[in-house]
Amino acid sequence: MEEELQRAAQALYALPFDDFIAARTAAAKDAAATSKPLAQAIRTLPKPSVAAWTVNMLAHHRPEAVQQLRVLGQSMQQAQASLDAAALRELAKERRKLLGSAVGEARLAAEEQGRKISGPVATEVEETLRAATADLAAAAAVESGLLLRGLSADGVDRVDVTDAVAVPSALGQLPPPPPPPQRPSGAQRPEVGAQAPAGGTQRPNDGGPKRRREESSAPSAPARRGTRTQPPKAADNAGPEEHEQPRLRAVRSAPRPVPPSLLEKAQAALAEAEEAAADAASEAARRAQAQEDAAAAFVQLTADVNETRQRLRTMELSLDAARKQRDTAAAEAKQYARAAEKSERSAMLAKERVLRLRNTPD
């Protein structure tokens, strides 16, 4: 059933935002004819937020942009694991460019599906795509096209993708994390047994614990033949290494993992700080540009309102003049109508008089 649910979800979460509910109802009704559990699962699929829907549009209709971010994120994680500060700086610059391009592509994909994206939604989309470059699970969630909510990364902890994907099984098997930091082979610390003493000369290899056990057991051979012999005086003058236990020597001779140096840690921290500063500066520039755009829009709207008010006053004056003209015309029309009636009555009286005169003999 999981495969059928994934196919149904892929079709639903690729639709325009306002068509989701009706399409989900229709898909559940169609599935009920063959599988009631599948129909119930489809019916309970949540509607995504606007930002998550925008990211889904990018994943479904511009998949190459999401793939580029995923590849870049893997490179950044490998560079961070190897403490490559120079590579991190270059990759951070490339990420800023790709994020700006991906957000623009997401806007276009959303507009093609009938919805324009506001500034806050675009900011949440950018934060989600940034999280996809910082965490493998977030990248898989974004690339699935089934995102339900926005994601965020703090650069320290793993991104929380709990309840972030409509069908969690669609994430599949995540790739393994990048390998831990490793120092170059030339920087490996030499083994304790091969370490030179303070005098500058290297202690020769004495054959290891086995050779020492044989040497220590050699004086006891005469005792088994009945002759008591004292241990050689040279054994009393042996250094501390000769009296170490074999297990301790084996532990000390094992190569120790070399932690990152302070310089490497500082370089990695510097790269992260520079990346955060560049992101903050870019965000501040975007906010400043948004503020300038809002101020310009406010000035333009104020001018439009003032112009509209002036036009409204002019139109009100014209309306008053037209009203007066209408009233005057109505009064004049009544006056002329009465005059016409009077003239008509006068004409009728004159006509009657003429008729009477004609009928009267001289």
Side-chain angles (χ1 to χ4, degrees):
M1 187 184 75
E2 287 294 327
E3 295 182 359
E4 291 81 358
L5 180 60
Q6 288 184 24
R7 284 196 295 269
Q10 289 289 343
L12 288 174
Y13 288 94
L15 294 174
F17 186 79
D18 296 330
D19 296 348
F20 180 84
I21 300 297
R24 182 184 63 183
T25 302
K29 184 177 180 180
D30 293 340
T34 56
S35 174
K36 290 185 178 180
L38 176 61
Q40 180 62 26
I42 293 175
R43 194 176 292 109
T44 57
L45 289 174
K47 185 175 182 179
S49 66
V50 177
W53 173 81
T54 305
V55 175
N56 291 337
M57 293 303 99
L58 182 68
H60 284 288
H61 304 288
R62 304 286 196 282
E64 64 281 356
V66 178
Q67 293 170 3
Q68 290 176 358
L69 288 173
R70 175 176 54 80
V71 173
L72 176 66
Q74 292 175 351
S75 300
M76 293 190 71
Q77 292 163 28
Q78 292 174 359
Q80 187 172 6
S82 61
L83 301 176
D84 193 342
L88 277 175
R89 285 193 292 270
E90 294 299 324
L91 290 171
K93 294 178 182 179
E94 184 178 355
R95 180 170 72 171
R96 285 193 294 273
K97 295 179 181 178
L98 282 181
L99 283 177
S101 175
V103 172
E105 292 291 334
R107 282 180 176 273
L108 292 177
E111 290 179 1
E112 289 176 357
Q113 298 301 315
R115 192 178 188 90
K116 290 187 177 181
I117 301 305
S118 63
V121 172
T123 300
E124 189 175 356
V125 169
E126 183 175 355
E127 287 298 323
T128 301
L129 297 178
R130 187 188 306 276
T133 65
D135 186 81
L136 297 175
V142 169
E143 201 167 5
S144 70
L146 304 177
L147 202 63
L148 297 177
R149 59 174 176 83
L151 304 176
S152 61
D154 57 6
V156 178
D157 298 325
R158 296 179 62 88
V159 177
D160 183 16
V161 296
T162 305
D163 299 331
V165 180
V167 185
S169 61
L171 297 179
Q173 184 69 28
L174 296 177
Q182 293 183 357
R183 297 279 295 277
S185 59
Q188 293 289 341
R189 184 177 297 176
E191 296 182 2
V192 176
Q195 190 172 5
T201 59
Q202 185 175 359
R203 183 184 299 272
N205 189 1
D206 57 359
K210 183 178 179 180
R211 173 80 175 271
R212 291 169 187 167
R213 286 196 300 270
E214 292 174 358
E215 290 177 356
S216 62
S217 62
S220 63
R224 289 193 298 269
R225 294 193 298 267
T227 306
R228 294 173 63 99
T229 59
Q230 296 293 333
K233 298 295 183 179
D236 296 335
N237 299 329
E241 275 189 306
E242 298 297 334
H243 296 284
E244 289 179 345
Q245 297 180 3
R247 182 177 299 178
L248 179 60
R249 287 198 303 271
V251 171
R252 292 188 59 187
S253 62
R256 299 178 180 178
V258 181
S261 66
L262 294 178
L263 177 59
E264 290 172 336
K265 291 182 179 179
Q267 288 176 343
L270 174 61
E272 293 180 359
E274 289 178 346
E275 178 187 355
D279 293 340
S282 177
E283 183 65 21
R286 285 195 296 271
R287 296 300 174 89
Q289 184 62 39
Q291 181 182 2
E292 292 178 0
D293 294 342
F298 177 78
V299 171
Q300 182 63 38
L301 287 174
T302 302
D304 293 343
V305 168
N306 292 333
E307 182 181 357
T308 304
R309 287 176 178 172
Q310 184 64 32
R311 292 176 57 189
L312 179 60
R313 284 194 293 267
T314 303
M315 294 176 67
E316 287 177 348
L317 294 175
S318 300
L319 179 62
D320 291 339
R323 187 181 293 113
K324 290 179 181 179
Q325 291 178 0
R326 182 198 65 182
D327 295 341
T328 302
E332 291 178 350
K334 289 181 180 179
Q335 183 179 358
Y336 283 107
R338 286 194 296 268
E341 290 178 357
K342 185 178 180 181
S343 299
E344 185 177 358
R345 285 196 300 270
S346 299
M348 289 293 295
L349 292 173
K351 185 177 181 181
E352 290 177 357
R353 184 179 180 184
V354 170
L355 291 175
R356 285 196 303 270
L357 293 174
R358 284 180 181 177
N359 295 329
T360 302
D362 294 336

